[in-house]
Structures are given as structure tokens and as C-alpha cells.
Amino acid sequence: MGSPDSDEALLARLRAGDESAFLVLVTRYNGSLLRVARTFVPNDAVAEEVVQDTWIGVVRGVDRFEGRSSFKTWLFRILVNRARTSGVREHRHDTYDPTGPAVSPERFDATGAWAEPVAPWESDVDDRLVAATWGPALRAALDGLPERQRDVVLLRDVEGLSGEDVCEVLGISEGNQRVLLHRGRSRLRAALESELAARGR
Amino acid sequence: MRTLRRDDLVCRQVVELVSDYLEGALSRRDRKRFERHLAACPNCTAYLEQMRVTIAATGRLTPEDLTAEARDEFTQLFRTWTTGEGGGHDDGPGGDTAGGGGAA
């Protein structure tokens, strides 16, 4: 069953009613659940209710979890279902988020080539410093994404679910998932670019 | 200057294919066109790197830690859930088998 603190091992203990295993799982995932829940509901209080509801679902439903998906995917699926049935946000599958190109058209010349050189970011990368300095700007940009783009980016890039799992959790097609992901990522990149420009590098 | 082939991509098209490229969702032919463009275009190479940096930075946004109060609250709740109300009442989620959480 792998490492003793793997999700699977903890679930096995939870099935047997082990409180400490439950608390390890809550410590591991509660922050992630809250973060995702907040994109579906208007305030922290409702998000906390939905997340608590999700944990009840886990405790009561753990016998039915067969390990066909990862625990994390199952957990997010419960959360999203609870958040949607809480009815706070209308999900309209037939409408798309506002579209737009990944990069503003005036950045290209008449032939479709870049009008100005693109600055390499490699030198700014890699360290934790980046997370510390860019974190606030990135968080703000993420919060500002159209909601369906935000859902996909949160699950795929922030929580690290596979594309397939994101589709399963949100109940969307692979193609739709990739379109939303692309738009969301492109906007985040543009936000970081503006942030860099604002600081004058 | 190399001459433009008929099926060559221009930069404006390349930026729209970046996510599909990174997700491995391009057809073999489109992937080749994409990579052929990159090999000759430092700007799009830099752009692709910017997208990679963006994705990596997004992945490093950490959630809030569980507070001690929340932990105590969950301890109490767990005891209520597992001992309190009737065990037969089934309002739990479905399992993780197909169809449990919204179809394709």
C-alpha cells in the first residue's frame, strides 16, 4: 500500500474509524478545498460550509471509494458537486467565457510576426524568490479570471490534477478544458508581464 | 532569411497553440510545424518559456495552512459524524466508479 502516510494508507485507516488519519487528510487538503470552493461561492463562510460538507461526504462515503481515481480527484469531485448543489453559482455549460486572443493583436505586425522582441524570463525564474515576489500579482490575476477559466487553472495548474481528472471533476470535455486552460494561462502570463514592466525590471 | 513554406506557422498562430503543445494535444504534423517555427524564432521560444514560467509559478501558490482552531473543530465534527447521527442515513457521495460525478 505504499508509504504509511499516502492517501491510500490513510483512507484504509479512516475506513476503520481512525480519527488521526482523518485529521492528517484534513490538514493535507483543507486549504486546497477552501481555495477551490471560493471560486464557486461568494464568500468565505459559504466556502467553509461547502468544504465541511465535503468532509462529511468523505467520512460517510469512504467505503464506496474504490481507488479507481486518485483520492484527490474524488475529493474535488465531491466538493464541486456540493458547491454546485449549494446553488450559489449558476453553471451554464452552453456559454463560453469571453474569448480573445492569447496575446493582444497589436503585438504582431502585418505578417503575424512579433512586432517587438519578446523578453526572455529565464534569468528571473527558478528560485523561491519568484514565488514570493510574483505570488500576490499572480493570485490577483487568478482571482480576476473568468470563473470557468479559473476553475480549470486552479485544478490543473495550482492543484496539479491531470487534464483528464479536471474534465472528470468539472464534467467538461477535453477540448473545452484545453481552451479554458489556454485562455486562463495566457491571461496569467500577460499579468506577470505587466507586473515585470511595472517594476521596470 | 529563410523562405516561408506554405504550411509554416506565424507567431500569432504559435501563441494560440502553446497550451495544446505543452499538454501533448497537437497532432504529429502540427507539433512538427510548431517545433519548426520555434527552432527559427527566438521570440516564440522566449514566449513558450514565459508560459512555462507562468505555469510553474502558478503551481507554487500555496494554500493556507489549517489553523489550530479549525483542527479542533474538525476533531469534534469527526466524533459527531462517526458516533452521532444514524449510520443508515445515506447522503454520501457516490463511489469513484464511472458515472458518479457528472458524465462527459
Side-chain angles (χ1 to χ4, degrees):
Chain A
M1 188 155 274
S3 128
D5 64 350
S6 69
D7 290 349
E8 292 71 27
L10 291 165
L11 280 175
R13 283 166 52 197
L14 178 59
R15 267 187 207 105
D18 184 333
E19 181 178 296
S20 65
F22 176 69
L23 289 172
V24 175
L25 288 170
V26 170
T27 304
R28 190 171 292 172
Y29 290 115
N30 203 63
S32 291
L33 289 173
L34 277 172
R35 186 160 63 178
V36 174
R38 277 202 200 104
T39 91
F40 285 91
V41 302
N43 59 55
D44 290 356
V46 181
E48 277 167 26
E49 274 174 37
V50 167
V51 168
Q52 209 179 87
D53 226 27
T54 300
W55 287 115
I56 298 179
V58 170
V59 170
R60 299 217 169 125
V62 66
D63 287 335
R64 268 162 290 171
F65 177 74
E66 295 171 23
R68 295 189 193 201
S69 62
S70 73
F71 171 68
K72 194 171 175 181
T73 299
W74 183 61
L75 188 62
F76 280 121
R77 208 173 70 194
I78 299 172
L79 177 81
V80 169
N81 287 341
R82 302 273 152 142
R84 283 180 179 163
T85 54
S86 81
V88 182
R89 174 167 133 201
E90 272 293 306
H91 251 272
R92 298 178 53 190
H93 289 272
D94 53 340
T95 54
Y96 285 85
D97 284 308
T99 63
V103 175
S104 169
E106 62 260 30
R107 302 282 297 272
F108 301 101
D109 65 20
T111 68
W114 291 97
E116 300 285 337
V118 178
W121 284 2
E122 287 99 320
S123 51
D124 303 291
V125 203
D126 76 22
D127 39 56
R128 268 149 281 273
L129 205 73
V130 171
T133 47
W134 286 7
L138 202 49
R139 242 176 254 275
L142 191 59
D143 287 343
L145 289 180
E147 51 193 32
R148 302 186 63 217
Q149 293 178 24
R150 194 174 56 215
D151 298 343
V152 171
V153 171
L154 257 177
L155 291 172
R156 180 81 183 87
D157 289 342
V158 181
E159 297 301 338
L161 262 56
S162 70
E164 202 182 329
D165 285 349
V166 173
C167 292
E168 196 196 317
V169 167
L170 296 176
I172 58 177
S173 71
E174 292 255 351
N176 197 359
Q177 191 261 150
R178 280 202 307 276
V179 169
L180 293 166
L181 184 64
H182 181 63
R183 293 199 187 125
R185 283 175 173 176
S186 301
R187 281 179 189 231
L188 296 185
R189 187 213 63 86
L192 291 183
E193 188 179 49
S194 307
E195 180 70 13
L196 279 170
R199 288 184 203 175
R201 315 231 336 152
Chain B
M1 282 300 269
R2 83 208 171 92
T3 51
L4 207 64
R5 286 163 53 168
R6 205 159 35 136
D7 67 338
D8 276 346
L9 295 166
V10 295
C11 306
R12 197 176 51 217
Q13 296 171 307
V14 166
V15 299
E16 298 300 345
L17 295 176
V18 165
S19 292
D20 282 356
Y21 175 70
L22 293 174
E23 296 286 297
L26 289 183
S27 69
R28 216 173 106 85
R29 182 169 165 273
D30 283 345
R31 184 164 51 81
K32 282 191 165 162
R33 292 167 77 203
F34 186 92
E35 286 173 347
R36 197 167 65 228
H37 180 97
L38 279 191
C41 182
N43 287 329
C44 285
T45 303
Y47 183 86
L48 178 66
E49 185 59 25
Q50 291 184 354
M51 285 291 274
R52 284 205 171 104
V53 171
T54 301
I55 294 163
T58 308
R60 269 186 251 121
L61 292 174
T62 48
E64 285 165 37
D65 288 336
L66 194 68
T67 61
E69 298 78 51
R71 191 187 158 86
D72 289 346
E73 198 185 331
F74 273 112
T75 306
Q76 291 309 315
L77 285 170
F78 182 77
R79 289 173 189 169
T80 314
W81 296 337
T82 50
T83 59
E85 50 252 64
H89 180 54
D90 190 329
D91 66 347
D96 55 328
T97 47

